[in-house]
Amino acid sequence: NKRIATIGDAMVVFNPSKTGPLRFVPSFERAVGGAELNFAIGVTRLDMEAKWISCIGDDEFGKLIYNFARGEGIDVSHVLRTPHIPTSIYFKEIREDGAGKSFYYRNPSPLLELTEDCIDESVLDDVDLLHISGVYLAVCKHNIQVALKLIALAQAKNIPISFDPNLRLKLWTIEDARAVYEKVYPSINLLLTGQDEFELLFEGRTVKDVQESYKIDEIIVKKGEQGATVYTTTEQHDREAFSIRAIDTVGAGDAFDAAYVYSYLNGYDIPERLRLANGAGALVAMIKGDNEGLPSLQELRQFIGDEKLIER
Ligand code: ADP
Ligand code: KDG
């Protein structure tokens, strides 16, 4: 089985019991989220192995997240716990069309305690791909140093790197994000980005131009209900999304990334990768929660129509 590594914060998520502005929501359902953990769950459900590097609070919510990640079969041997900083939480607002808004309580995040020195040289020894997301880079200033160390380790071992900018403008400014991402782009093989995010980050530059200036093998642009497009250095592949009713789109991008990376590492061609990735994104958007809808390989194959579903 292929194995990935990723690094990032996880949070207890409070999903609203009804749609609309948060101040009118009387109750919440507790769940678990965090872009990089969602990604790790996604690839694990698809029968790959995932090593999740993190630091969470040594508190009740930290225990919940730790047990949850373990229960999903994720390698948590690189998850530190700190008694000094509480585990991050966030409240989610969901609009009628399924779009979400986040209200974070993660200042600081326990990741403040995970420094460069905590990263063991051997952490990527058994890994086939390193996945970095912009949420991680946004939550603490020193995270860029930690990420650059991991990136250097990956490059020394010829391990491909995927990057999702996951721009969160509640955590930092667009200028800060651009400056930090500039340091990451030259090292990555796959850039998995939302279309609006691409436009915000690159201000009118074309995909070709970005691809050539940073030598990125593949730029994958996620377009919500419009599906996705992959640009290689020589080709462009478009694929429309599955037609669904979106309930909660938070986490759809992570699901897409997980299925794309799964099919990339297993040698599928680009049209097939797009089909699986659009399928995984749609399955997460159809259910409330950031990762509850992440499919197993069989569920994904059934959803995209490759296998017949027998329910009785
Ligand atoms: P991101 O959160 O990274 O910007 P998107 O919102 O574009 O990601 O969603 C990621 C993927 O999930 C899309 O490319 C698509 O495959 C799927 N998806 C998201 N929203 C919908 C929707 N409303 N209908 C069908 N598929 C969707
Ligand atoms: O991509 C989904 C994430 O946005 C969600 O799980 C929470 O990590 C999160 C964030 O910072 O928004």
Side-chain angles (χ1 to χ4, degrees):
N1 273 6
K2 300 285 186 197
R3 209 174 154 83
I4 68 95
T6 188
I7 184 164
D9 201 12
M11 291 176 288
V12 170
V13 184
F14 290 91
N15 286 312
S17 56
K18 57 183 213 172
T19 52
L22 206 61
R23 63 188 182 278
F24 301 117
V25 176
S27 58
F28 297 86
E29 287 160 22
R30 191 205 61 199
V32 170
E36 301 84 5
L37 178 58
N38 297 337
F39 176 84
I41 298 169
V43 298
T44 308
R45 293 218 184 135
L46 294 172
D47 283 345
M48 294 206 295
E49 284 167 41
K51 182 181 290 190
W52 172 52
I53 306 164
S54 191
C55 183
I56 50 183
D58 192 8
D59 49 20
E60 285 299 313
F61 283 162
K63 287 179 185 133
L64 165 71
I65 290 171
Y66 188 83
N67 292 349
F68 180 80
R70 274 194 84 171
E72 289 290 336
I74 291 167
D75 175 351
V76 290
S77 58
H78 290 76
V79 177
L80 308 178
R81 304 204 226 182
T82 171
H84 306 121
I85 305 174
T87 297
S88 304
I89 67 172
Y90 93 97
F91 291 84
K92 192 154 72 186
E93 182 175 290
I94 306 179
R95 284 204 318 244
E96 285 301 326
D97 66 355
K101 243 192 204 175
S102 309
F103 299 87
Y104 301 119
Y105 295 81
R106 61 188 330 185
N107 190 15
S109 147
L111 283 172
L112 198 59
E113 305 256 307
L114 198 169
T115 58
E116 237 181 301
D117 302 335
C118 308
I119 302 292
D120 196 276
E121 297 275 324
S122 64
V123 67
L124 300 182
D125 276 0
D126 50 357
V127 159
D128 299 292
L129 179 137
L130 171 67
H131 180 74
I132 301 286
S133 132
V135 180
Y136 173 68
L137 300 175
V139 284
C140 302
K141 276 222 156 63
H142 71 227
N143 286 359
I144 181 68
Q145 289 325 117
V146 183
L148 290 176
K149 178 169 179 179
L150 283 169
I151 286 170
L153 284 173
Q155 288 187 308
K157 293 175 201 299
N158 258 324
I159 297 169
I161 300 167
S162 54
F163 176 61
D164 186 331
N166 261 331
L167 189 59
R168 299 286 183 270
L169 293 177
K170 281 196 176 162
L171 297 177
W172 57 356
T173 63
I174 184 75
E175 291 78 20
D176 286 347
R178 282 190 195 126
V180 166
Y181 293 176
E182 284 285 328
K183 302 187 182 155
V184 173
Y185 298 136
S187 316
I188 62 177
N189 302 83
L190 308 179
L191 174 64
L192 295 141
T193 172
Q195 186 164 43
D196 49 339
E197 193 172 53
F198 186 92
E199 281 155 21
L200 278 166
L201 288 170
F202 297 107
E203 297 178 289
R205 287 175 70 187
T206 63
V207 174
K208 265 264 126 333
D209 177 30
V210 170
Q211 190 155 36
E212 275 165 16
S213 49
Y214 304 106
K215 307 264 174 293
I216 302 171
D217 300 341
E218 291 181 23
I219 297 187
I220 301 103
V221 181
K222 297 175 270 183
K223 301 185 291 193
E225 60 190 345
Q226 258 92 53
T229 301
V230 175
Y231 301 84
T232 68
T233 47
T234 51
E235 295 164 33
Q236 174 180 338
H237 298 259
D238 298 291
R239 180 115 207 158
E240 59 187 31
F242 290 89
S243 176
I244 55 146
R245 191 166 84 87
I247 300 288
D248 174 3
T249 58
V250 175
D254 306 328
F256 181 103
D257 295 357
Y260 195 89
V261 161
Y262 163 81
S263 40
Y264 167 81
L265 286 178
N266 285 291
Y268 296 177
D269 65 19
I270 291 174
E272 183 66 357
R273 291 185 218 162
L274 276 173
R275 216 160 69 87
L276 287 158
N278 278 336
L283 281 165
V284 165
M286 281 158 75
I287 300 186
K288 195 196 278 183
D290 301 8
N291 49 50
E292 285 79 346
L294 287 166
S296 68
L297 199 50
Q298 192 188 20
E299 284 161 346
L300 181 54
R301 290 261 177 230
Q302 282 165 348
F303 178 72
I304 66 177
D306 292 350
E307 279 179 27
K308 266 223 144 30
L309 178 64
I310 300 165
E311 277 192 326
R312 52 167 290 158

